[in-house]
Amino acid sequence: MSPRGRLTANHWGTGVVTVRDGRIVEVAAHPADPDPSPINGNLAGSLNGRARILRPAVRLDWLEDGPAPARGRRGPDPFVEVTWDTALDLLAAEIARLRQSHGNDGIYAGSYGWASAGRFHHAQGQLRRFLNGQGGFVASEGNYSYNAALGILPHVVGPYMRQVVDATRWSVIAAESDLVVMFGGLPDRNAQVSDGGLGLHRMAGNLAACRAAGVRFVNLSPLRSDAAEGIGAEWLAPRPGTDVAVMLGLAHTLLAEGLADRGFLDRYTTGFDRFARYVTGEADDVPKDAGWAAAVSGLPAGRIARLAREMAAGRTMITCAAGLQRADHGEQPLWMTVTLAAMLGQIGLPGGGYGIGYGVNATIGNTQRPFRAGALPQGRNPVRRAIPVAMVADMLLDPGGSYAHQGATHLFPDIRMVWWAGGNPFHHHQDLNRLRRASQVPETVVVNEINWTATARHADIVLPVAAAQERDDFAAGNSDNALIPMPACAPPPGAARTEFSIYAALAARLGGAEAFTEGLDEDGWLRRLWDETRAAAGRTGVDLPDWDDFLAGDVIALPDPAPDRVFLSGFRDNPDARPLPTPSGRIEIFSERVAAMDLPDCPGHATFLPVRDAVAPDAAAHPFHLLSGQPATRLHSQLDNGALSRAHKVGGREPVLIHPDDAAALGIRDGDVVELSNARGRCLAGARITDEVRQGCLFLWTGAWYDPDFDDPHHRCRHGNPNVLTHDLRTSALTQSPAAHSARVALRRVDGAVPPVRAHEPPVFVPWPRARGSVTSGAAPSRPGRPAPPSR
């Protein structure tokens, strides 16, 4: 049996669940985990909290007037709680209406996010399977985390996901590296999570082994704690958005002092001479030497030059944090990382080269799965249209408008229904005030949720779903070597249901129930997926138990297929026999393909381009760089109403880190309520004074549930979500990736009374006598009218 109780799996690790009187009261870390995440401490409080959605609910105006653009009412409107039959009848009728009047390309199911770690009860997979069986939907492509890498790196060195899977292992770095230079740091809080579940946390131990072996670390980040305290990293804090300038200064020193490996560049790369003309200033009369880099970044010129020499003197691993690409021109630090590593000539050698995204996932460089576990098949989407994931507001506000992507021109679809499941766009999207305006455009918004987040509050139909701990499943992380049983530990509260049961009931109303279920119930599907997993394991020589024994048992650790992997070692050994999947088969320091697109925001080689807010006309009015990142107290916005997350708030608001000198100049003391503002929005936060952050920078953690004050003319967020301040521009026309990390703000102390935070409370519920099956009214069933929506 599992230790002390039933197991559960989350993206932050394995938990042991304690249940009393049918309620989850505690989730502890698995005792075998050497460095467990504390995030399990949020689960009990969130699943049993006041914000839990207990019954289906429909927005009052949508019931009164029928499906139509909301004209600002999504968000502040009250809801009517209804029975499941009513909710499903209404939703089935709306799907049928939209398919007939506008076709399936009027339905957008851009659902995105770190939903359940389970292989079967995966929110987006379930929704896509259902909609694919009903004629399809407009999808999103890419992600918010590393979309620029997905878009630029195939032009430079090959698909990004191969670089994740094949990343040089930290055990190799400990044995072979002299120096690790970390652009954007390597925050250990990020390395606590992994998509699809996680058996053990290995990063802290592997970094400790590097330190014990004498590996030296340099952390280039505006936040000192972006490097784990135990590795003793030297802290260099460049101005945000200037990492490419620092790398160019390093490259100039390597070139000027004859430290670049011309033999490697000639054999394994193409286009270096074009890039060299830019670095030396031959192309634009601006030499990118250490002095120039110092003026741009704020780092000492002498330290930049010495660092270049240190990198060339020994075996050096260059890492680039995923966060650097979520900024203006985010493709450039990625391309420049590859270029700088190529100049050192150590790509493909043990302990040398580069890694992009170390720490974005707990398994990168730490372990890998030996086979793919079974998963719910999603089928084929008959609608062949998809938009870049960060362009949802653009799509809704500009139906039929054009946009560029990867050198081609596309048109936005005319979306009438939006369906979110397993994600929280009112957390992860940028410029939330603009997203609020966009969210009013569709005729119908559907949300599957556990809690009353802002996304649920901006819906028309809200479907309460069971949490991962309230249904049987199993976890097998996308890049982890563990299989984790996930037995149901408690029943879902109220009327919450599994998403499979919701879609099966909808399919029965719309036709296609047999195609969706294939004649299986949830237990039948789980047994099928486990049988597929056992078969895949058997092909690798691993014998797994049957389903019942596994579900009642402990974590199963699988063999690591490549514990000594070195990224691109095969290419280095024989570039002719193992060419890269680029046009030249080599590393493209200059890309003819990208250059031919003639994009001013993404030239043909790595280039320094300034942050847009920094050169805007109102830059002086917004003197602080706003930084945001993954907190240690939750995964993104998940379970923000849990005990751990709430315990780290400041007066109930998200903490913002402020340098002591900046705080003193503004008369701000630790614990004060402060307002961050710019032309896009405003939010309140709680001041935390610390020298961990670079002067001139503010660090506001992501994930505080968006809490707009509709009585305030700016809809100021009372809780401290940084995305009310970030812009909704893209990194470039090449990848159309989010660039939210390039925002500037003003800061002031707030004196006097401040509004209370309402983010963790449910919305207002009202009775509606005409509502068919209304829970709050008990009225006789009657179907509300469905007037035609207004023309656009």
Side-chain angles (χ1 to χ4, degrees):
M1 288 293 292
S2 305
R4 297 180 316 202
R6 291 194 165 193
L7 293 190
T8 189
N10 301 290
H11 299 296
W12 53 86
T14 305
V16 183
V17 181
T18 300
V19 178
R20 294 195 191 101
D21 300 323
R23 286 163 54 96
I24 294 170
V25 296
E26 182 184 16
V27 181
H30 194 288
D33 196 337
D35 183 36
S37 167
I39 298 177
N40 277 321
N42 283 325
L43 270 162
S46 183
L47 298 186
N48 300 317
R50 293 187 64 234
R52 189 69 193 263
I53 304 174
L54 300 177
R55 285 171 285 277
V58 183
R59 188 171 63 86
L60 178 63
D61 272 11
W62 195 90
L63 279 173
E64 293 274 356
D65 301 328
R71 299 182 178 88
R73 296 305 306 163
R74 287 193 185 105
D77 246 8
F79 284 83
V80 176
E81 291 184 318
V82 300
T83 64
W84 270 110
D85 279 343
T86 297
L88 294 172
D89 286 349
L90 291 170
L91 183 50
E94 180 62 354
I95 294 170
R97 181 188 75 84
L98 287 167
R99 287 191 310 188
Q100 182 176 7
S101 60
H102 301 291
N104 283 75
D105 57 1
I107 300 173
Y108 176 70
S111 295
Y112 165 89
W114 292 53
S116 168
R119 300 296 289 179
F120 176 65
H121 292 292
H122 182 261
Q124 292 96 341
Q126 290 275 351
L127 176 59
R128 291 165 187 164
R129 177 178 174 84
F130 166 70
L131 288 176
N132 285 341
Q134 297 296 323
F137 61 98
V138 174
S140 63
E141 59 185 2
N143 61 45
Y144 285 84
S145 296
Y146 44 81
N147 197 71
L150 294 174
I152 186 63
L153 289 178
H155 299 287
V156 179
V157 69
Y160 174 60
M161 294 313 297
R162 290 310 314 169
Q163 300 176 59
V164 169
V165 172
D166 296 340
T168 297
R169 293 300 181 86
W170 282 103
S171 56
V172 176
I173 294 171
E176 303 290 347
S177 297
D178 299 302
L179 176 65
V180 178
V181 178
M182 306 178 294
F183 289 94
L186 187 66
D188 52 357
R189 61 184 182 275
N190 289 11
Q192 288 279 329
V193 301
S194 182
D195 49 328
L198 184 65
L200 299 174
H201 291 87
R202 298 174 173 87
M203 181 65 103
N206 283 336
L207 290 179
C210 290
R211 176 68 168 164
V215 179
R216 189 162 64 89
F217 291 84
V218 178
N219 170 30
L220 290 107
S221 170
L223 189 67
R224 188 199 307 268
S225 59
D226 271 346
E229 184 176 351
I231 64 175
E234 177 188 1
W235 184 31
L236 302 176
R239 295 187 182 100
T242 66
D243 297 86
V244 172
V246 175
M247 293 188 215
L248 287 168
L250 295 169
H252 188 282
T253 301
L254 294 176
L255 200 57
E257 298 185 8
L259 300 175
D261 188 334
R262 293 305 302 243
F264 182 91
L265 292 167
D266 290 343
R267 186 178 185 198
Y268 296 98
T269 78
T270 183
F272 177 74
D273 289 341
R274 295 282 296 271
F275 172 75
R277 292 180 64 245
Y278 170 71
V279 174
T280 61
E282 182 182 348
D284 60 2
D285 297 323
V286 181
K288 314 306 181 299
D289 58 17
W292 171 86
V296 174
S297 68
L299 297 181
R303 185 67 193 101
I304 295 172
R306 289 197 310 276
L307 181 58
R309 298 174 195 127
E310 293 164 6
M311 294 168 73
R315 192 62 57 84
T316 297
M317 172 63 69
I318 304 171
T319 71
C320 178
L324 294 188
Q325 68 191 289
R326 295 192 293 272
D328 287 355
H329 320 298
E331 298 82 7
Q332 304 310 311
L334 309 176
W335 203 341
M336 192 61 221
T337 294
V338 178
T339 301
L340 186 59
M343 292 181 70
L344 290 175
Q346 299 178 14
I347 293 174
L349 294 178
Y354 75 93
I356 292 174
Y358 276 122
V360 74
N361 185 310
T363 60
I364 298 175
N366 292 309
T367 190
Q368 185 52 247
R369 67 184 182 189
F371 56 83
R372 185 179 186 274
L376 180 70
Q378 298 178 13
R380 179 182 177 275
N381 187 352
V383 176
R384 308 311 298 166
R385 302 183 71 176
I387 65 160
V389 68
M391 301 193 79
V392 59
D394 306 73
M395 173 187 70
L396 295 174
L397 293 169
D398 188 24
S402 65
Y403 66 95
H405 185 227
Q406 291 290 345
T409 299
H410 307 270
L411 299 179
F412 288 123
D414 185 3
I415 295 300
R416 305 301 177 112
M417 171 187 276
V418 171
W419 198 329
W420 302 108
N424 186 7
F426 276 98
H427 145 66
H428 60 239
H429 197 75
Q430 52 279 344
D431 194 349
L432 293 184
N433 284 316
R434 185 170 189 255
L435 182 64
R436 275 208 73 245
R437 295 193 294 274
S439 74
Q440 310 301 314
V441 173
E443 294 165 13
T444 299
V445 176
V446 185
V447 170
N448 303 5
E449 250 296 0
I450 295 172
N451 285 311
W452 280 105
T453 63
T455 297
R457 290 169 180 261
H458 284 79
D460 301 311
I461 300 174
V462 179
L463 306 177
V465 295
Q469 294 71 33
E470 298 161 356
R471 58 203 181 191
D472 288 342
D473 211 334
F474 71 102
N478 289 337
S479 52
D480 189 50
N481 66 332
L483 298 170
I484 308 168
M486 300 173 62
C489 301
R497 290 185 179 182
T498 65
E499 278 153 308
F500 179 85
S501 69
I502 294 170
Y503 299 133
L506 280 171
R509 285 165 167 79
L510 290 164
E514 178 64 27
F516 178 76
T517 67
E518 296 187 28
L520 297 175
D521 60 10
E522 294 178 22
D523 184 68
W525 268 107
L526 285 165
R527 292 177 185 276
R528 175 188 287 188
L529 300 186
W530 184 248
D531 285 345
E532 293 173 3
T533 303
R534 293 182 75 190
R539 290 190 288 272
T540 66
V542 174
D543 185 27
L544 295 177
D546 66 25
W547 173 247
D548 295 308
D549 287 342
F550 167 71
L551 195 64
D554 203 350
V555 177
I556 296 176
L558 302 169
D560 185 340
D564 299 316
R565 190 187 301 278
V566 175
F567 179 52
L568 289 184
S569 59
F571 169 68
R572 185 183 184 100
D573 290 344
N574 193 332
D576 296 319
R578 298 180 177 177
L580 300 177
T582 61
S584 65
R586 301 296 192 262
I587 297 169
E588 304 227 346
I589 293 176
F590 180 89
S591 168
E592 296 285 357
R593 186 165 55 187
V594 173
M597 298 179 194
D598 195 24
L599 304 174
D601 52 9
C602 192
H605 57 69
T607 304
F608 173 71
L609 300 167
V611 171
R612 284 170 286 206
D613 268 13
V615 295
D618 62 349
H622 304 107
F624 292 97
H625 297 272
L626 176 65
L627 307 170
S628 58
Q630 167 68 21
T633 60
R634 58 181 173 263
L635 171 59
H636 305 314
S637 69
Q638 285 189 30
L639 313 178
D640 180 47
N641 60 335
L644 176 71
S645 181
R646 297 181 75 154
H648 286 75
K649 308 280 184 182
V650 177
R653 302 175 209 278
E654 198 63 20
V656 57
L657 307 185
I658 307 170
H659 190 275
D661 293 345
D662 293 329
L666 294 171
I668 295 172
R669 296 167 297 181
D670 200 74
D672 281 348
V673 176
V674 295
E675 181 188 75
L676 293 78
S677 64
N678 58 23
R680 293 179 287 269
R682 303 182 182 194
C683 73
L684 301 178
R688 277 284 175 256
I689 314 304
T690 176
D691 62 3
E692 291 287 306
V693 66
R694 188 190 197 277
Q695 189 173 359
C697 296
L698 305 174
F699 199 103
L700 181 60
W701 304 107
T702 64
W705 286 358
Y706 176 50
D707 188 27
D709 184 352
F710 295 115
D711 293 327
D712 180 86
H714 304 282
H715 292 171
R716 181 173 66 179
C717 178
R718 295 170 289 209
H719 194 198
N721 189 305
N723 277 328
V724 300
L725 303 159
T726 55
H727 66 62
D728 200 11
L729 303 174
R730 304 286 91 72
T731 55
S732 76
L734 179 74
T735 72
Q736 295 290 359
S737 302
H741 283 336
S742 292
R744 290 172 66 102
V745 299
L747 178 71
R748 71 177 182 93
R749 187 183 71 233
V750 178
D751 298 314
V754 291
V757 175
R758 304 291 189 195
H760 300 149
E761 299 177 6
V764 173
F765 297 111
V766 296
W768 193 57
R770 289 188 295 139
R772 181 173 180 260
S774 169
V775 171
T776 54
S777 69
S782 63
R783 181 176 297 278
R786 283 288 178 269
S791 60
R792 302 198 194 191

